[in-house]
Each structure stands twice: as structure tokens, then as C-alpha cells.
Amino acid sequence: MPNNGKVKPGYKRTLDLKHGCVEMVHGNGGRSMAQLIQQMFVAAFDNEFLRLMNDQACFPVFGGRMVMSTDSHVVTPLFFPGGDIGSLSIHGTINDIVMSGAKPCYLAASFILEEGFPLADLKRIVDSMAQATKAARVPIVTGDTKVVEKNSGDGVFITTTGIGMVPEGIYISCENARPGDKILVSGTLGDHGIAIMAWRENLSFQTNIESDTAPLHDLVAKMISTTSNIHVLRDPTRGGVASALNEIAQQSSVGMMLYENKLPILEQVQAACEFLGFDPLYIANEGKLIAICAAEDAENLLNAMQAHPLGNNAAIIGEVIEDTHCFVQMQTRFGGKRVVDWLNGEQLPRIC
Amino acid sequence: MPNNGKVKPGYKRTLDLKHGCVEMVHGNGGRSMAQLIQQMFVAAFDNEFLRLMNDQACFPVFGGRMVMSTDSHVVTPLFFPGGDIGSLSIHGTINDIVMSGAKPCYLAASFILEEGFPLADLKRIVDSMAQATKAARVPIVTGDTKVVEKNSGDGVFITTTGIGMVPEGIYISCENARPGDKILVSGTLGDHGIAIMAWRENLSFQTNIESDTAPLHDLVAKMISTTSNIHVLRDPTRGGVASALNEIAQQSSVGMMLYENKLPILEQVQAACEFLGFDPLYIANEGKLIAICAAEDAENLLNAMQAHPLGNNAAIIGEVIEDTHCFVQMQTRFGGKRVVDWLNGEQLPRIC
């Protein structure tokens, strides 16, 4: 949080967390900004690195392979069934790191606040982030705050960036899928996107569907301890499983065959998708992963995933095949075949 | 750039960089987003890490002390005399890393684009970023792209995050200032803020003043090779030298005494400040640093700084004193003394 600094002695004004709003002065680099940072961010995220209040965090690392990932979060609404932009911003970046097989170590968080945004809502979001970082044991060590005028933003945008270290011997990457490999997912598909959509559309079924937002590092640690032979991990967020698999097929120069009757989809999600005209394969997930591994490891890996709370509904949903066109296809419930193409056109804006 | 992936064979549609605009589909996680990422970002930032197109970048690091810093950039206007939001977003994060004495290694870049923003302008910004990363020899290894609806953003916001490694034996931090230390700046003060302000106000003197936006890692490397005894480095951005020194005074529990007649300020900047009613001590800089070192090293350090193109106008502007109130004071040109307080109230919104 550049230009932060501690509040001066004798300067004890406290933020009005009940009725106050974000003001342009909160971004000016002076006393009001220092106050916002101390009383809002440092109070919630406190740790030995952040506490030093430099414009950067400094920490020890061991040599090896490091991963870095960044994600801006612009989800609307900011609060939704099962989560909010705060927890989502922590889980999203942790998951991107974890999909390389790495252990997440440190996070940075940068806020773009709109003038007039209620401090009470910001506090709720920040507390949710703090809780998510604590639960995941990954601290926010540095950050930044900017304020833009009313109507130049939309409440709060949060960009989180994380770094992590890859354990020795692990080489997981989206270009490693090989014909014959099995394709697994860790649970039901489309929960996050449909939870958001139901909320936006104020649909009566909304109460039943919650976002699946969750950090996947413990599940992945368990999977890696089961087999060191996972070829690909990927969290199917924006664009859903269909887009993620098309990208992997492309990156690995392979085709894929899915089995429609193996796809784990909640009944309410399926119903909502039919009602709204969506295909659950294209709907965003925020606490699910795709794993691709050698056929001989698939059952073992599946069992390990199902034994973890975040992998209860894991399933083998298809296999990697040879295909110079890199098509993702699906055997339908009725015995036919169809191509599962890239997402084309707009589906669910601002889902994450 | 999560959910990116290469463009499918046979799918050759190219972005209309002349007349095209950012559309909501560019953020959907599907084919249009992949196209934007490939043709806009990867084309400009290309390197071995980014090219793998995973949701995270993976690279080797050596053990030691690492620094991490993040900054959102919301400057308006996007293009200003001497730079643009693109170069600024690279220099800003590099400089935050360098102020710990670290060598910057890798950058992540995340874009929040407003629907309707011209692709030609985005290309200009991205090219400017590419040029800045090449000049600084610090690659962008991963990124993200989000699109928000018209009027929910303001053209382009860019959040950059960087990591760097601190050389053995270097411990530079804002709590290390000691009474007796000398305070140096690397050049003229207020150029960036006044360049922006002049542009915004459409003032006739605008043509003469340019932003000082520049990456400071070469200057700092030179300074560190001159003396391993630099106590504090800080880039005085938002809030200017006054806010930065107040924060350092606070963090180090010391006071400071500045000499007004030693402050390097361009004549046009001084004139603009008087005209607009600003104090140059509070105006943002984007290519300047404050250095605090032991008195016996100050002349040596000054000479080293002045020998570097980015330190031509370096000066010793004051000293650290004992003061339990942690006040920053200034001996004025006329022999008096005044307190240089924290910036209070709004001065220059969206300066970076």
C-alpha cells in the first residue's frame, strides 16, 4: 500500500465504518489514505511483512521453481450466495497458483475504489478477504489503494497477485495432456455462475444455489501426494469446463472425448441452465478443478479426490484422444456425438 | 491471462486495431478473449514464460530475500506529456521494488478494460508497456484481462505486480533513518504531477513540462555499488516528497530538517505551482527517489547519483534529526522554519 505510513501521534480520528463512504481524499497519498490503510486494511490483514508498511514486502524464499499469477476481480454483485468479491479474490489467485502444483506462499492485493462506496461494505469485503487468507494460510504481504471518481468505477475492483513454490519433481502444465489420459473434475459444474446469474435475475430458485468459491491447495496437495504423475491441472473459471478443455487441447495438440452422462451437475443447476438457456459446460466455477492424468493413475486419483471435502463429487468425465484438429467432443446421453466448441459471444459478463 | 489459450486452427479473424473497440465478449473467457490476448498482449510482451499461456507463470529463483510490490494505475488522462498509463504502470512497480535495494526480476499485468474503449488506444498503451519492459529488461510473465460495461470503468485501469531479489548484505527499509543522516533527492521535484495537471487544465505552459516517469533500477544499482550503507530509499509518488518524508520520519521515529534553498525544482514547475496554488513538496514524482544515508557517505553518494542520467540534478536537501514528535520541518529561504505536514485533503486525484 504505497504511500501508507502509520498515523501520526495525536491524530486519532477513526474511520466512520457505519456511515462513512470512500472519498477522493482516501486516494491522495496523505493522512486520510494512511488512515484508511491502517484502520481498514492493516487491521484486517495484519502480519509481520505488511506491518513494516514499506511500498513493497520483503521475505525469504528458497531456491527452486516459483509461480506467479494475477487476477483482477470485477464480479457483480459484490456479495452473492456463497461468497463475495473478497473471498473470491483470494480463492481465485490461490487456485491459479495451485494449478501448477505449487504451494501458495504470499499474496498482494490492490484495490480500485469508487468514490462514495460505503465503508461498511468495504469492511465486510476486507473481513471476508482476511478470513479467506487465514483459512488458506496465505498472507497478504503488500497492497495498494486507488480511488476513482463516482461513475468512473463500480464500487470495488480487487486485483490479487500470488506467488508460490513448486515442489521438487512436479511438472504440471497445460501442454502435458497425452492421448489415453483420463479427464477428471473435482465436483459439480456451474455452481458459481448459476448462483450469480440467479441472484442477478432475482429468480425464485436462487436460494438453493451457492457459489462454490473455495481454495483448492489442500485438495491439490492431497492429489499430488497420491500420484506424482498428474499431467494437467486447471480451474475452469470464466468460460467453464468447455473453454478450459479447448485451451488444454490446443496447448497439448490433442483431442478430447467427454461422456455427458458422467458430468456431475446439481439438479438445481441443471434446471436453472435449462430455464435460462445455458449449457453448464460453459458456466464458471470457482472451487473446482480439472485434472488430467495417465489412465492407470485415474482411479487412485479419483479416490483421493473423493476422500477430500472439496472433491466429494469428483468424477472421471472423459479421456484425451488423438486429434490433429484439437477438437473437444462429447458422447451425448443419447449415444450421439457433438463438438464442444469454444465459447463464442457473450454469456455471463463480470462473473469473477 | 487466465482462460487464454491459443487461437484455434482455421480461426484467423484478426482484431480490428484501427476501428475496433473493446467489447464485453473480450472478457468472456472464450474465443474472443483468446484472440485479444494473443493479438494484443502476447504479441507485444512475448517471452518464454508468457508464451506457455498457463494461468500462471513458472520460473526459477535462487534462495534469498525476495520483494513483492503491487500498484493499480488509474491515471487520467491515459496519455500525458512524457508518458502514458502503460509506461507509468511498468515504471511505478519497478520503482517500488527497487526502493528495497532489490533487482527487479518479473512482472505481472492485469487489465480492467471499459466496454467501448478503442483498440487502437489499447494497442498504443500496450506497445508503450512493451517498450518500457524491454528498456528495463524486466519481462511481463503473466497477466489477466477483465472487461466491464460502459460507465463502470474509465477506459483502462492497469494493475502491475513485480518481484525482485535483494542482493546479499543490503538492508534498506523506511525504518532505518537515524539522526545525523543526510537526505538526498535524485532530481527535480513535482514534474509528473504538474505535467498531468497542466494537461488537464489545458494551461498554456503545458508544452514545457513533461512527466519524469522512468525506471530507477540502474540508478539504484549504481548507488548501491558506491556505498552499501544506504539506510532508506523511497520514491515520492502520490503525496510527493512531503508525504514520503513524513512516513519515513514516523517509521524511523525521527524528525527531519529540510533546506528550502536546496530543493531542486524546475523553474516552469515552480511557476505552475505558484499559479495553481500548489506546493511542489506535495506533488507526485514518477522517476525520482529520496535516499537517506550516513553523513559521511552523502557526498560520495551524491556524486554517484549526479553521474547517472537519471540523477543529474540530485541534491542533498536536508538531514535527519532527533524529534519524538517525528515532525518534518523546513528552513525557509528567508531564514524561518515551518512544519512540512502530511498532505491533508484532496490535491491531485488520479495522478498515477
Side-chain angles (χ1 to χ4, degrees), chain A residues 3 27-28 52 55-57 59 61 64 66 68-69 72 96 110 144-146 149 161 238 247 251 345 350, chain B residues 3 28 52 55-57 59 61 64 66 68-69 72 96 110 144-146 149 161 238 247 251 345 350:
Chain A
N3 298 319
N28 74 352
L52 282 179
D55 280 352
Q56 69 295 115
F59 41 78
V61 291
M66 171 171 277
M68 183 181 200
S69 186
S72 287
D96 276 344
S110 195
D144 183 42
T145 311
K146 292 291 187 320
E149 304 87 348
T161 308
R238 261 186 301 178
E247 289 178 26
Q251 286 171 268
R350 297 184 58 183
Chain B
N3 298 316
N28 74 352
L52 283 178
D55 280 351
Q56 70 294 115
F59 42 78
V61 292
M66 171 171 277
M68 183 181 200
S69 187
S72 287
D96 276 345
S110 195
D144 183 41
T145 311
K146 293 290 186 320
E149 305 88 345
T161 308
R238 260 186 302 179
E247 289 177 26
Q251 286 170 267
R350 298 184 59 184

Side-chain angles (χ1 to χ4, degrees), chain A residues 249-260:
Chain A
Q250 200 70 52
Q251 286 171 268
S252 294
S253 299
V254 295
M256 298 190 182
M257 182 61 72
L258 306 182
Y259 318 120
E260 189 172 20

